[in-house]
Amino acid sequence: MFMGLDSCTLCPRACGADRTKVVGFCGATDPLEVSSVCVHRGEEPPLNPIVNIFFTHCNLQCIYCQNWQISKAENGKWKTESVDTLADKVADIIKQSNTTLVGFVTAAHYAHHIPAIISAIRARGVSPAFVYNSSGYESVETLRTLEGLIDIYLPDYKYADPALADAYSHAPDYPDVADAAIGEMIRQVGAGLKVDDTGTAYRGLIIRHLVLPGHVDNSIKVLDNIASLSPFHLPALSLMAQYYPPRPDLPSPLDRAITAEEYDAVVDHAVDLGLTDGWIQELKANDNYRPDFNNADNPFK
């Protein structure tokens, strides 16, 4: 049993579910469920290519989730993996593709398995850098159990507005939680990003922010918060324009893409704050990022 999994406190919700028997708020029980293990080339340039492990379920449950097929998955729809089987898959792909990065995608609810997964992958004769790709809604206590294991943190910073976080992700405490969680990530790996001679990242942090339609004010506040997280070194920022309505029943303004005017206002503010170490997606990115996780071998094909 890990961190009281019979009364789960892995994530900030601390829902108290006995995940040895029932699902938590995230929708997961204890055994690992994985929707896809594949080489992904759609991350930020220093993280390409990467072997991504896409876990099912999510502790945030955003109503507009771009990966809704797996974040809202019904228990049992996706394959349960043992640590050894998962490590075999990852190691085989690394050896075949010559990649040096492995990503855990939205893994907060399975964080108790990560030390064993990393140990098993290394036991198979490969030594990648490990990337923790996160919603930003993380428990500091859980993150501390990953210290020394995770080389690169890749958190979202979704909301600075508690009311918006409540309406869209059922998490009014998101801004405070994200501040604390990303602060812990910075303590572990620093605010900067280190890359090797090939331009591939091997240690550090990138903060992502997805600009939502109709909510420029939230994005402006998020950028202000990011700029204040590390007074000595501004974090690398990945500003994202790829939002598109993943389902037809979303309320306004989530039923449309962002406009050029909205995006330009956010980009201009990032520049004004000096958040220029990083990447700015092109506005047309929302035409490119439309994964289909029913294609488990390559959801991005």
Side-chain angles (χ1 to χ4, degrees), residues 73 85 175 210 243 254 266 279:
T85 301
L210 176 66
Y243 177 82
L254 294 179
V266 178
W279 302 268

Side-chain angles (χ1 to χ4, degrees), residues 123-144:
R124 282 149 176 80
V126 294
S127 300
F130 291 97
V131 181
Y132 191 79
N133 184 330
S134 164
S135 70
Y137 196 64
E138 301 279 351
S139 162
V140 169
E141 290 74 17
T142 298
L143 289 173
R144 286 175 180 159

Side-chain angles (χ1 to χ4, degrees), residues 33-168:
E33 281 189 28
V34 175
S35 69
S36 180
V37 182
C38 63
V39 176
H40 186 210
R41 293 178 171 81
E43 310 288 27
E44 288 74 10
L47 301 179
N48 286 329
I50 185 171
V51 181
N52 267 343
I53 303 168
F54 289 93
F55 296 101
T56 61
H57 310 294
C58 179
N59 70 327
L60 207 51
Q61 296 295 318
C62 305
I63 65 172
Y64 56 85
C65 181
Q66 312 286 280
N67 293 349
W68 63 272
Q69 289 170 304
I70 56 175
S71 67
K72 298 182 180 297
E74 294 181 0
N75 218 55
K77 179 179 179 181
W78 303 97
K79 187 176 181 180
T80 299
E81 296 274 15
S82 71
V83 168
D84 284 334
T85 301
L86 182 57
D88 285 340
K89 287 183 180 180
V90 172
D92 287 346
I93 294 173
I94 290 173
K95 292 172 183 177
Q96 293 168 14
S97 60
N98 198 33
T99 55
T100 60
L101 296 165
V102 170
F104 301 106
V105 183
T106 317
H109 51 298
Y110 290 130
H112 56 305
H113 289 294
I114 287 179
I117 296 171
I118 290 175
S119 177
I121 291 171
R122 288 173 172 164
R124 282 149 176 80
V126 294
S127 300
F130 291 97
V131 181
Y132 191 79
N133 184 330
S134 164
S135 70
Y137 196 64
E138 301 279 351
S139 162
V140 169
E141 290 74 17
T142 298
L143 289 173
R144 286 175 180 159
T145 69
L146 304 178
E147 185 170 4
L149 298 175
I150 299 300
D151 301 289
I152 300 161
Y153 281 104
L154 183 61
D156 292 341
Y157 198 133
K158 296 179 181 292
Y159 310 108
D161 180 348
L164 198 65
D166 189 24
Y168 289 169

